Amino acid sequence: MSSHLKPYTPKEPAFWQVTIALMLASLLVFSTLYVFQPLLPVFAREFQVTATQSSFLMSSTVISMVVGLFILGFMADRYGRLRLMHVSLGVTVLLLAVMPFTPSFEGLVLLRFLQGFFLAGVPAAAMGYLGEEVNANDLGLAVTLYISSNALGGMGGRVVSGYVTDILDWNTTLLIMTGFGVLTTILFIVLLPKERFYEKQETLLREDLKGMLVHLKDRNMLALFLMGLLLQLVFTAIWTYLPFYLQNDPFNWSLKSISFTYLAYGLGVLAPPLAGRLSAQLGLSKVMLAGLILLITGVWMTGVPLTGVILSGLGIVCMGFFVAHSMAAALVSKIASHHRSGASGFYLISYYIGVAVGSTAIGALWENFMWWGVISVSFVFLLVMACLPVYKKMA
């Protein structure tokens, strides 16, 4: 590394190359992660499995993604982040290409499990890459754009998959996703500059594990980790079983119509920056509580069998979730006086465990009690979050 090299700033084209490349990678990763969510009723019918069994196409991916965040995060620091992200995207696209030709449900679940591990490569390495290559004063801009593309990817994957599958079939949807993946991976490889400040750290594994374990002794941290898990559990449960809910009486919506409900994510993209401004005046924890109240309100609105109320409720659910989640993540970073990467890592892992549990474990409630079973248990978890000791003690 040359001593004259300086981190990228927005005045340099390379800054925007980095930002756009990572945004594209994020779009691919999160659209691939969530592309199956609105299609679960389709797979349930085609492969003659229950709603809960079809949700394995989501939960298996997330479980392996959690494992990947551990393993690939360490590998990124040991062998370089750029190489890991290249491999991650390449394998992700290769597995996407195989899925349309897979004849069995079990085969699809296995491919999704493998895919989840490699999907973790980008989120495991991207923040480290940005932290080293981008100027500290401009890191907030780059990170905000990267995180917003996470939400956009999740929204785009859901909307496109539902719309295209309703017109054609799920096989064609995945082939289109594969084409998008190939193009995105090529652009990523071309755009993202080589690492200039990367230094191999042989003892990172031991130090990171030590840092993570330290945070398990902190009650405030444990409360925030639980907050991340429960927030995502509720949010995932709502969106996983929504297609089943709206395809039944009295709605009988088409998959194409259901896919447009995911545009509610747009409010989730816009809300956090506004919440960030409010938090500077009111404090992170108060804004987090406000987000939680919005989430509770939106969840109960979806129980009213009126289209306008349900759609409004889904928009409020997205606003509340992304506000509460962004504030909780910021609190983790703020109150961690040391080993911040370990604290953030545990929050991210608990967050994705919530995805896995919300996808499949809630299925029994859907099978037995339908939509009111889903939102009732969600309400219980939301009340638990409201009672957590994370509001008065934190700024």
Side-chain angles (χ1 to χ4, degrees):
M1 182 183 72
S2 301
S3 58
H4 69 279
L5 292 177
K6 295 181 179 180
Y8 301 123
T9 69
K11 295 180 180 180
E12 302 172 78
F15 174 90
W16 297 106
Q17 280 185 233
V18 168
T19 304
I20 291 170
L22 288 174
M23 287 178 71
L24 286 171
S26 178
L27 283 171
L28 175 58
V29 166
F30 287 93
S31 61
T32 301
L33 177 62
Y34 290 110
V35 70
F36 277 78
Q37 196 171 51
L39 307 184
L40 298 183
V42 175
F43 290 106
R45 288 194 302 270
E46 180 160 335
F47 293 103
Q48 297 184 334
V49 296
T50 67
T52 304
Q53 289 171 327
S54 71
S55 71
F56 291 158
L57 290 166
M58 282 297 301
S59 57
S60 64
T61 313
V62 176
I63 289 168
S64 59
M65 191 173 182
V66 169
V67 177
L69 286 168
F70 267 121
I71 297 174
L72 298 181
F74 295 136
M75 290 181 65
D77 286 301
R78 290 176 178 275
Y79 304 109
R81 299 181 178 93
L82 189 69
R83 186 188 308 173
L84 182 82
M85 289 190 282
H86 287 171
V87 172
S88 171
L89 293 178
V91 176
T92 294
V93 174
L94 180 62
L95 291 170
L96 262 179
V98 175
M99 287 178 189
F101 308 101
T102 305
S104 70
F105 179 75
E106 293 78 11
L108 274 175
V109 172
L110 176 60
L111 289 174
R112 285 285 285 173
F113 182 79
L114 293 172
Q115 190 176 58
F117 181 84
F118 288 97
L119 282 173
V122 171
M127 298 302 286
Y129 181 96
L130 285 173
E132 289 180 346
E133 302 297 325
V134 171
N135 184 276
N137 293 332
D138 303 302
L139 187 59
L141 173 61
V143 170
T144 301
L145 291 171
Y146 168 72
I147 290 177
S148 70
S149 64
N150 295 358
L152 287 173
M155 180 178 72
R158 291 171 169 107
V159 173
V160 171
S161 66
Y163 186 85
V164 173
T165 300
D166 197 58
I167 297 173
L168 301 169
D169 53 49
W170 66 268
N171 310 77
T172 305
T173 297
L174 294 184
L175 287 173
I176 291 171
M177 279 293 298
T178 302
F180 170 69
V182 170
L183 178 61
T184 300
T185 302
I186 292 171
L187 287 172
F188 179 82
I189 292 171
V190 171
L191 285 173
L192 196 67
K194 292 181 179 179
E195 297 163 289
R196 303 171 303 159
F197 301 101
Y198 167 71
E199 293 181 4
K200 195 171 182 179
Q201 299 180 42
E202 300 292 348
T203 60
L204 186 67
L205 175 60
R206 185 173 65 251
E207 291 300 318
D208 274 2
L209 285 175
K210 180 182 176 182
M212 284 187 172
L213 292 173
V214 165
H215 295 302
L216 292 180
K217 299 176 182 178
D218 187 321
R219 290 184 179 180
N220 287 332
M221 279 296 189
L222 287 174
L224 287 169
F225 299 155
L226 180 61
M227 174 73 78
L229 188 154
L230 293 178
L231 277 171
Q232 186 56 266
L233 189 157
V234 170
F235 190 68
T236 301
I238 295 296
W239 286 106
T240 297
Y241 294 97
L242 181 76
F244 294 98
Y245 174 48
L246 294 179
Q247 281 192 347
N248 288 337
D249 293 330
F251 310 105
N252 299 307
W253 285 20
S254 68
L255 189 59
K256 181 169 65 176
S257 298
I258 293 170
S259 70
F260 288 121
T261 64
Y262 292 98
L263 292 173
Y265 264 59
L267 292 174
V269 175
L270 297 174
L274 297 175
R277 291 185 179 182
L278 282 174
S279 69
Q281 301 173 348
L282 303 176
L284 293 168
S285 59
K286 289 181 180 178
V287 178
M288 181 171 67
L289 181 59
L292 194 58
I293 293 170
L294 283 174
L295 183 53
I296 292 172
T297 304
V299 166
W300 277 104
M301 286 175 68
T302 64
V304 180
L306 295 172
T307 299
V309 178
I310 291 173
L311 293 177
S312 299
L314 291 173
I316 294 171
V317 163
C318 286
M319 287 179 63
F321 168 77
F322 281 105
V323 167
H325 164 51
S326 61
M327 295 299 103
L331 273 171
V332 168
S333 180
K334 181 176 181 179
I335 69 173
S337 58
H338 53 83
H339 293 102
R340 284 191 171 89
S341 61
S344 297
F346 252 128
Y347 180 81
L348 194 60
I349 288 163
S350 65
Y351 179 82
Y352 283 113
I353 290 173
V355 178
V357 176
S359 297
T360 298
I362 301 297
L365 289 166
W366 167 258
E367 302 286 352
N368 291 286
F369 305 104
M370 307 300 286
W371 189 247
W372 276 102
V374 174
I375 64 174
S376 294
V377 77
S378 297
F379 184 66
V380 171
F381 286 138
L382 290 167
L383 284 180
V384 171
M385 283 185 270
C387 295
L388 288 175
V390 294
Y391 303 106
K392 295 181 180 179
K393 297 179 181 179
M394 301 179 191

